[in-house]
Each structure stands twice: as structure tokens, then as C-alpha cells.
Amino acid sequence: MSDTTIPTPRLTELAHGGGCGCKLAPSVLQQLLADQPLAAAFPQLLVGNETADDAAVWQIDAQTCVIATTDFFMPMVDDPRDFGRIAATNAISDIYAMGGRPIMALAILGMPVDRMPVAMIREILAGGASICAEAGIPIAGGHSIDAPEPIYGLAVIGLCAPKDLRRNHGAQPGDALILTKPLGVGVYSAAIKKQLLDADGLAAMIATTTTLNRIGTDLAREPAVHAMTDVTGFGILGHGLEMARGSDVQLVIDASRLPLLGEAATLAQRGLATGASGRNWTAYGAEVTLPDGMADWWKVLLTDPQTSGGLLLSVAAEDADAVLARVREAGHSAAAIIGRVAPGSGITVAV
């Protein structure tokens, strides 16, 4: 069959999952990595696979660290250019979440070439390249394979000074918690699969998932920002738990203060959810205390896998309002203070 006779499919119909909802459940990932060798023999490796941080970090000298990450997934939208844009924004976010400045990327591409027109695949690549151009970095190469489902993402390299490196631990009791983007991307993607998301909802989702988290580079230079991570496939509870465990603290999250995409609560109440949401709760729900009588749809939103989600910040309480204002001025209008850090362990959700 020639390319001209290949019908143009809906991207989301070609994949069994989409976005960061494709991630393996936290419990499965933990099992897979349980017997992997740690990198303690490499003193320059400041961050490796011994923690749940967003990227690996190698110290070159007293002034420079290299940050390396990779992220890829299957489509959660049908427009190929938007898929490329979302995937690229999501991959670059890991660099920003560590406090780094991205310098270049490599493309990761797997496509069912017998089921997709070449022009459609080119649009995915063009979308990723447009976001890299916005971030000021080149796509310097990559690798492609013929795959049964469409997969796209990036390996990204960044730099930071050792003193500016931020990790998902370091949160201190008394800190305020700030989330920079609204939740609900996974619920929206489930609605897209069923063609239940209207045009305004789709536009809002694309807008947030293609907004670069570049504010992370600037925030890393602020001593008041003690810990930072991005919220992706494990949801606000999963990535919050990684921060709580790494910092040996408890996070107290006020559900009523969580920023949500406009239709997220309504869709969740209608039963829209990804399979990843349930897997997430099974993996870590034992470490979470919910208020008595909390509606089940709230659990969906708290475990909702975010694709290209926001940054979760642990900030000295006295500086939280100033940091929040700075985040909003950088274009994250939905950013909010969502809770606090307390002594203890796990996460307690309040209303």
C-alpha cells in the first residue's frame, strides 16, 4: 500500500493508552528496579536511580552539572502536531524540574508506518521541533523504529550549577506547597478517547500541556525553594509521596485549593478516568489519609495521571506568596498554594 492510499486515522485509536497515563504503575516500577545496581561507585553521579528524582545528574566540575532525561509515550490527542508539542513539552519539563537549563534534545520515534501516512508522522516531528525551538534548543538527532503503536518523545540534556540543583526531597516542616498547573489532564484524555470533550475543553488542555515549565530554572536560584518536582503520570498524590518520602515529612494537601481544569470535576463525576488512576491508588493509597466521606470522584482527580503537568514546589512559608506571584507572572495563571509540609510521613488530604 502506498502512502497516498493509507487512510488518516484518529491517533488515539492507534494506541491502547496515552500520555503519561501509559506509565507503569509505581508498584510495578519498584519491582522492576529492585535488583538493579546502584551507582554509588560513581561519585560524580549526584542523582541516579537510587531515588525517584526527575532526571539523572552528573557533576562535571565545581561550576557545572549535566542533567539527562528521557520521556516518551503514546498519543492522548488526535492532532499529530499537538501530540508532538505535548510530548516535547513533557520531556523538557524534567530538566526544568531539576533546576536546569535545557541545551539539546534527541528524538525518540516509533510509528506503525503501514497504518499512518508519512505526512502525519512529519507533523508529529514538526510539533516537537516547534516546542524545542520555543525552549531555545535543537533536536540534534534521534532514533526511529517501526512500532505497532505510535510513540514519540525526547531525550533531553541540560545544565545547571551544583548550587542550583533542586530535587524532590528537601521539603521542610512549615513549608508551603505550590502547584503551578491545573489537574485533570488524564480525565480529559479519557474524555477525548470517548469523544466527550468539547472544543473549549480540548483547547484548554492543549494550552496547559504545551506550556513550558521554564520557571523552574529561575526558581532553582531561590534559596526559599527547598524542593521541586513535576507532576506527571503518578498524579499529585504519587509525586507528592515521592517528595514526602525523600524529605522524611508529611504533606498536607487541601483538596479545595487544588487548581483544576474547568471540566475536570464534572467529567470525573460522570465516571471518566484513565486506567492509570486506579493503578496509582492501588500502588500508594495505603500511605494516603483521605477525609471521611470524600466522594470517590475526588480520588480520581487526586490520582489522575498528568501529562506535561505542573511543578510541585516546597517553599519557605514566609516567601510563598512572593514565589506564587512570580510563577503567575511567568504565565501560570492557575498556580496556587495547595497545602503545607508537616512532621510525619505520607500524605493527608484535607478539605
Side-chain angles (χ1 to χ4, degrees):
M1 182 182 292
S2 68
D3 183 65
T4 57
T5 61
I6 296 176
T8 301
R10 283 186 63 204
L11 267 178
T12 53
E13 290 179 339
L14 297 176
H16 73 280
C20 286
C22 300
K23 273 188 172 182
L24 295 176
S27 56
V28 174
L29 185 60
Q30 187 176 27
Q31 293 176 45
L32 293 176
L33 297 178
D35 58 356
Q36 294 299 303
L38 298 179
F42 299 89
Q44 288 172 283
L45 186 65
L46 302 186
V47 183
N49 60 6
E50 71 284 352
T51 67
D53 277 294
D54 297 300
V57 181
W58 184 274
Q59 185 168 358
I60 298 294
D61 53 36
Q63 290 77 40
T64 309
C65 291
V66 173
I67 306 172
T69 186
T70 182
D71 215 317
F72 53 88
F73 45 63
M74 292 165 283
M76 31 90 81
V77 294
D78 288 314
D79 184 276
R81 183 174 286 260
D82 285 338
F83 170 39
R85 294 171 65 217
I86 293 168
T89 307
N90 179 75
I92 298 169
S93 179
D94 286 341
I95 303 296
Y96 295 133
M98 301 294 290
R101 174 179 59 85
I103 59 170
M104 72 172 183
L106 303 173
I108 299 165
L109 182 72
M111 292 289 147
V113 293
D114 60 338
R115 300 170 65 194
M116 292 178 65
V118 168
M120 196 175 190
I121 301 172
R122 287 170 60 90
E123 280 292 289
I124 294 171
L125 295 172
S130 71
I131 290 295
C132 287
E134 186 178 335
I137 64 173
I139 296 181
H143 186 67
S144 60
I145 62 168
D146 185 357
E149 296 181 293
I151 297 169
Y152 177 69
L154 301 174
V156 191
I157 303 298
L159 300 174
C160 77
K163 64 181 178 61
D164 295 334
L165 178 64
R166 288 297 182 273
R167 303 183 62 170
N168 64 2
H169 65 253
Q172 301 175 18
D175 281 359
L177 297 171
I178 295 174
L179 181 63
T180 66
K181 286 186 182 182
L183 303 174
V185 175
V187 169
Y188 272 41
S189 68
I192 290 171
K193 276 273 192 182
K194 296 180 181 295
Q195 296 183 284
L196 295 175
L197 188 65
D198 60 29
D200 288 343
L202 178 61
M205 189 193 79
I206 291 172
T208 187
T209 54
T210 58
T211 297
L212 289 164
N213 284 328
R214 66 169 87 239
I215 186 63
T217 305
D218 296 329
L219 293 176
R221 301 189 180 100
E222 294 290 337
V225 177
H226 297 148
M228 183 162 59
T229 190
D230 61 351
V231 177
T232 54
F234 301 152
I236 184 64
L237 291 185
H239 293 286
L241 274 170
E242 290 175 341
M243 183 177 285
R245 293 168 185 155
S247 307
D248 195 22
V249 296
Q250 176 188 195
L251 302 192
V252 180
I253 293 176
D254 185 341
S256 67
R257 300 176 73 177
L258 288 170
L260 301 176
L261 287 168
E263 299 176 47
T266 300
L267 291 170
Q269 289 174 62
R270 291 176 60 187
L272 274 296
T274 67
S277 181
R279 293 193 298 272
N280 283 342
W281 182 256
T282 298
Y284 55 63
E287 296 179 72
V288 177
T289 301
L290 299 178
D292 293 338
M294 179 173 246
D296 286 342
W297 62 267
W298 260 117
K299 188 188 294 184
V300 169
L301 292 176
L302 290 165
T303 57
D304 190 51
Q306 302 307 290
T307 301
S308 192
L311 299 175
L312 176 63
L313 314 170
S314 183
V315 183
E318 62 271 20
D319 296 295
D321 287 339
V323 170
L324 178 62
R326 187 170 177 183
V327 170
R328 288 176 174 172
E329 288 169 2
H332 299 275
S333 59
I337 296 174
I338 64 165
R340 59 187 173 84
V341 180
S345 61
I347 290 182
T348 295
V349 178
V351 290

